[in-house]
Amino acid sequence: MYKYLLRHKLLFALNIIFAILDSALNVAMALVLKLLVDASSSGSIKDLKYAVIVFLMYIFISIIVWMVAKVLKACLLRRSLTDLKNQIFSKIIYRNINEFNEENSAKNISLLTNDINILEQDYYNNLFDLFSNLVAFIIATIAMIRLNIYAAIFVFAAALIPIGIPVISGKTLSRYRNAYSEAIGLFTVKIKDIFSGFEVIKGFNIEKRVLEDYRISNEGAELSKYRYNVFAGAIDSLATAFGFMIFLGTMSINAYFVITGKMTIGLMLAITQLMNNIVNPLVSLSSRLNRLKSVKLIEDKINDILLKHDESDEGISKKVFDDRLRFYNISFSYDGEKAVLKNVNFIIKKGRKYAIVGNSGGGKSTILKLLLRYYENHSGNIFIDGIDNKSIKAEDLYRLVSIIHQNIYMFDSSIRDNLTLFEDYSDEAIENAIDLSGLRELIKSLSDGINSPVGENGRNLSGGEKQRIAIARAIIKNTPILVIDEATSSLDNETSYNIENSILNIPELTCLVVTHKLNEEILKKYDSIFVLKDGALIEQGTFDELMERRAFFYNLYNVAKNGN
Ligand SMILES: Nc1ncnc2c1ncn2[C@@H]1O[C@H](COP(=O)(O)OP(=O)(O)OP(=O)(O)O)[C@@H](O)[C@H]1O
């Protein structure tokens, strides 16, 4: 993690210089005090005047150095943490969909917020302080040895005790810190879950239950923070107590030297002041090292992300869809137990339109997810022009295939941004997508037209309007293959028919559409219909062929027709 500090070399070097100056000034305080006290006991006004001027100069220089040191430290921290967070985020955003799906996204939110804050406090701030302490310690030690070797020997011998504290307590503190970070992560997951399901919570009157869930999670997080703080506080108090004992011992020895006339009061004060610069770093060394050790788990979590191999730019480059897409012996299970797809085989030819129908939970959406590599642990192969989709560069795959999902995500921006997804498209492409997706009326009715805001996750829009935006978004992307997962479920039959019809009429577009709406007129437009039942492809053919067979599709169609 320290590498992020070294990235800004000039700022880093300036920080070192000012940290050294800052520490040197701390130590110099002892000498200034000695000058002042010795001047007062010498009875010389001239010496006193000189000492006061030196003191004033000392204060003036100190203020400047402290201020500059603080600004430099804040600058370096700001830049280093921004770099670190940018890099973590970039690694996350460039992950494969299947890798991203393996984790709860709220844990990543917690990492980028809570864990980074912990890292800032207990790692970066600590490193700075450790360095300043080390410099102050070295300068004070040299000064102390030169002023009084006996006092120096005593201080060092006594200070060995607090140094041993981190060795004894380090592991336990680290355990408490890890538990705290984990609990905060879980707490973030809980909050995200609750806020995402807010409408369900209200609609089903389950506030009490949710409040109880929240309370337990909140108390868990606070308890683990409390445990960590109590333990860290106890270690700090112990170290401070040892510090006082060393202080008392040194003062007693120095007082003895003053009484026996071997030391001036000024020197005694100077040694006491120097002792602070020796004992304090040693005493705080224990807690600082402990805190550095305690962020190990967070460091590991971050390194896991940062060191992960970036696969997005790997693979075979494939820019054009030439001929066919083939599902070859595809079997798949989400959990390794229940078979969701069973030896599925089919071929999709360029420019043709295909529908997938079947029973609920039969594996229709899963077929689309495998094509788009949301999961990669299936057996068999999905070939695009003979190349396994797993070997194709992720970026190229998503330029060949786009999907319209059942659940549509809307960015909290304008309709235009949600159509273009912040990319540049010609007005012609945008207008064409608006027409094909049936958005024209909506845009006309809004005072800001295409620039109207959609609200958080599209809350200003109806389900059907969101679906139309998702359809336009996919049309505008203009990929050669379009897969659609129940994209018109929220639309009335007529709108749904019109939109599906216009998509199916795009001649060069290859379409694979999962549909529940068994509308004869639309189904007849497909070149072939795949019928899935419990993960197996049991029938395949045109609408008329399937109806003639009078098998599963025939029944499915009739049930749907009678249901309508
Ligand atoms: N992420 C997941 N983890 C575990 N099981 C899953 C996951 N997604 C889907 N499943 C299960 O896999 C099976 C097939 O799901 P899939 O969504 O492909 O069916 P579907 O045919 O599209 O269903 P529907 O028509 O109801 O949308 C179902 O039993 C479902 O519960």
Side-chain angles (χ1 to χ4, degrees):
M1 295 293 111
Y2 62 88
K3 282 186 211 137
Y4 287 85
L5 297 175
L6 297 177
R7 280 184 172 191
H8 307 279
K9 292 197 174 52
L10 178 64
L11 206 49
F12 182 77
L14 285 172
N15 263 282
I16 298 271
I17 293 168
F18 272 82
I20 293 173
L21 282 176
D22 188 5
S23 304
L25 281 168
N26 265 338
V27 177
M29 176 74 170
L31 305 178
V32 180
L33 268 179
K34 176 177 179 296
L35 197 69
L36 192 68
V37 174
D38 282 348
S40 61
S41 49
S42 73
S44 158
I45 296 292
K46 191 175 155 222
D47 286 356
L48 184 64
K49 271 187 190 163
Y50 174 70
V52 169
I53 288 168
V54 170
F55 212 139
L56 285 174
M57 277 169 61
Y58 169 83
I59 291 171
F60 178 71
I61 294 169
S62 293
I63 288 172
I64 291 172
V65 170
W66 287 338
M67 277 168 42
V68 176
K70 285 218 161 27
V71 171
L72 285 172
K73 180 180 161 188
C75 275
L76 184 57
L77 268 181
R78 176 174 69 88
R79 294 200 181 170
S80 307
L81 285 170
T82 308
D83 282 354
L84 177 62
K85 281 160 78 177
N86 282 346
Q87 201 161 354
I88 294 173
F89 186 78
S90 132
K91 282 280 177 181
I92 294 174
I93 208 78
Y94 278 110
R95 269 185 187 172
N96 289 337
I97 297 180
N98 73 82
E99 272 180 357
F100 187 81
N101 281 341
E102 278 168 17
E103 285 179 4
N104 191 313
S105 55
K107 285 205 170 168
N108 287 326
I109 298 176
S110 180
L111 182 75
L112 280 165
T113 51
N114 304 320
D115 287 347
I116 291 285
N117 285 344
I118 294 177
L119 205 67
E120 178 177 357
Q121 282 166 27
D122 286 356
Y123 188 84
Y124 287 115
N125 274 321
N126 243 336
L127 271 187
F128 276 104
D129 293 344
L130 262 174
F131 179 75
S132 302
N133 282 353
L134 180 75
V135 175
F137 174 81
I138 292 170
I139 301 172
T141 302
I142 295 167
M144 177 92 121
I145 289 171
R146 296 196 61 157
L147 289 176
N148 190 307
I149 184 80
Y150 300 109
I153 291 170
F154 174 79
V155 168
F156 278 108
L160 285 177
I161 305 164
I163 295 178
I165 295 176
V167 181
I168 303 161
S169 61
K171 273 198 177 143
T172 317
L173 193 73
S174 190
R175 212 177 53 238
Y176 281 129
R177 166 59 90 204
N178 295 344
Y180 171 34
S181 162
E182 283 292 304
I184 288 282
L186 291 176
F187 180 62
T188 314
V189 170
K190 177 63 67 192
I191 295 179
K192 186 179 166 238
D193 204 31
I194 291 173
F195 288 166
S196 307
F198 193 75
E199 285 168 24
V200 179
I201 294 167
K202 299 305 286 181
F204 286 81
N205 294 329
I206 53 169
E207 291 95 335
K208 258 194 196 150
R209 171 72 221 286
V210 169
L211 202 63
E212 182 58 16
D213 249 20
Y214 170 84
R215 195 187 57 73
I216 292 170
S217 183
N218 185 22
E219 279 176 11
E222 286 302 319
L223 185 67
S224 51
K225 183 163 83 182
Y226 164 81
R227 284 193 183 128
Y228 169 75
N229 283 337
V230 166
F231 191 76
I235 301 294
D236 283 352
S237 311
L238 203 64
T240 311
F242 278 117
F244 277 130
M245 278 157 66
I246 300 167
F247 181 78
L248 180 69
T250 317
M251 284 294 276
S252 307
I253 292 176
N254 289 346
Y256 170 78
F257 284 132
V258 171
I259 290 167
T260 54
K262 290 182 182 140
M263 191 184 272
T264 63
I265 295 181
L267 184 57
M268 179 173 131
L269 261 176
I271 287 176
T272 311
Q273 178 64 25
L274 284 177
M275 191 193 64
N276 283 334
N277 286 302
I278 295 174
V279 175
N280 286 347
L282 287 178
V283 167
S284 63
L285 183 73
S286 51
S287 61
R288 291 195 191 290
L289 288 180
N290 269 338
R291 278 170 203 262
L292 273 187
K293 276 191 199 168
S294 75
V295 296
K296 177 87 179 58
L297 185 97
I298 295 174
E299 260 189 279
D300 288 349
K301 267 198 254 178
I302 292 175
N303 280 331
D304 261 2
I305 293 178
L306 292 181
L307 298 176
K308 214 163 225 167
H309 191 55
D310 212 345
E311 289 174 8
S312 60
D313 51 359
E314 278 188 356
I316 300 171
S317 170
K318 170 128 187 73
K319 308 279 183 206
V320 183
F321 177 49
D322 288 316
D323 182 28
R324 62 181 58 198
L325 201 156
R326 181 176 187 196
F327 271 63
Y328 177 69
N329 284 346
I330 295 292
S331 297
F332 175 71
S333 164
Y334 284 100
D335 56 9
E337 286 178 14
K338 185 181 149 198
V340 171
L341 292 177
K342 301 166 194 163
N343 211 26
V344 172
N345 285 284
F346 60 81
I347 289 175
I348 284 176
K349 291 189 184 148
K350 185 179 173 186
R352 306 265 174 91
K353 323 291 180 216
Y354 300 81
I356 307 180
V357 300
N359 64 319
S360 176
K364 302 183 290 297
S365 303
T366 305
I367 285 189
L368 306 188
K369 286 179 187 162
L370 295 190
L371 171 61
L372 284 147
R373 261 177 39 198
Y374 288 14
Y375 301 90
E376 294 187 337
N377 52 332
H378 54 81
S379 65
N381 307 84
I382 300 168
F383 294 115
I384 302 181
D385 292 336
I387 306 173
D388 194 308
N389 72 333
K390 284 191 223 170
S391 334
I392 298 175
K393 259 190 198 177
E395 198 186 325
D396 286 359
L397 179 68
Y398 299 122
R399 284 192 207 285
L400 292 175
V401 190
S402 57
I403 183 164
I404 308 175
H405 287 282
Q406 268 176 21
N407 302 320
I408 303 140
Y409 186 77
M410 292 280 143
F411 292 92
D412 189 2
S413 190
S414 65
I415 293 183
R416 173 188 286 275
D417 291 341
N418 274 285
L419 293 183
T420 60
L421 292 181
F422 311 96
E423 300 273 352
D424 286 332
Y425 288 102
S426 67
D427 287 345
E428 196 190 342
I430 296 174
E431 295 302 317
N432 179 46
I434 289 173
D435 285 332
L436 288 180
S437 60
L439 272 174
R440 180 67 63 203
E441 284 303 310
L442 169 73
I443 289 175
K444 259 194 206 162
S445 70
L446 298 168
S447 56
D448 287 328
I450 197 171
N451 295 318
S452 308
V454 303
E456 190 184 345
N457 200 14
R459 69 167 160 220
N460 303 348
L461 303 171
S462 73
E465 287 162 351
K466 281 199 243 178
Q467 283 196 333
R468 273 176 266 179
I469 289 182
I471 291 165
R473 186 187 275 177
I475 292 173
I476 232 171
K477 200 177 154 204
N478 197 21
T479 57
I481 305 168
L482 177 64
V483 299
I484 302 179
D485 192 358
E486 283 301 330
T488 54
S489 57
S490 303
L491 301 174
D492 60 78
N493 283 339
E494 195 190 335
T495 315
S496 159
Y497 174 84
N498 289 338
I499 292 174
E500 226 168 313
N501 198 25
S502 23
I503 293 175
L504 293 176
N505 282 336
I506 304 175
E508 64 284 8
L509 186 66
T510 310
C511 279
L512 181 59
V513 180
V514 168
T515 183
H516 273 132
K517 282 194 174 157
L518 301 184
N519 175 313
E520 181 177 346
E521 251 180 294
I522 280 289
L523 285 174
K524 278 187 165 172
K525 288 187 175 282
Y526 287 99
D527 294 294
S528 191
I529 300 167
F530 303 132
V531 185
L532 270 191
K533 183 169 180 260
D534 300 331
L537 182 62
I538 53 164
E539 290 178 78
Q540 178 177 343
T542 61
F543 177 79
D544 292 336
E545 286 165 0
L546 292 174
M547 289 303 280
E548 269 170 36
R549 286 188 63 183
R550 295 187 164 252
F552 183 71
F553 177 80
Y554 176 83
N555 291 331
L556 205 65
Y557 174 74
N558 281 321
V559 170
K561 194 175 166 189
N562 297 333
N564 286 339

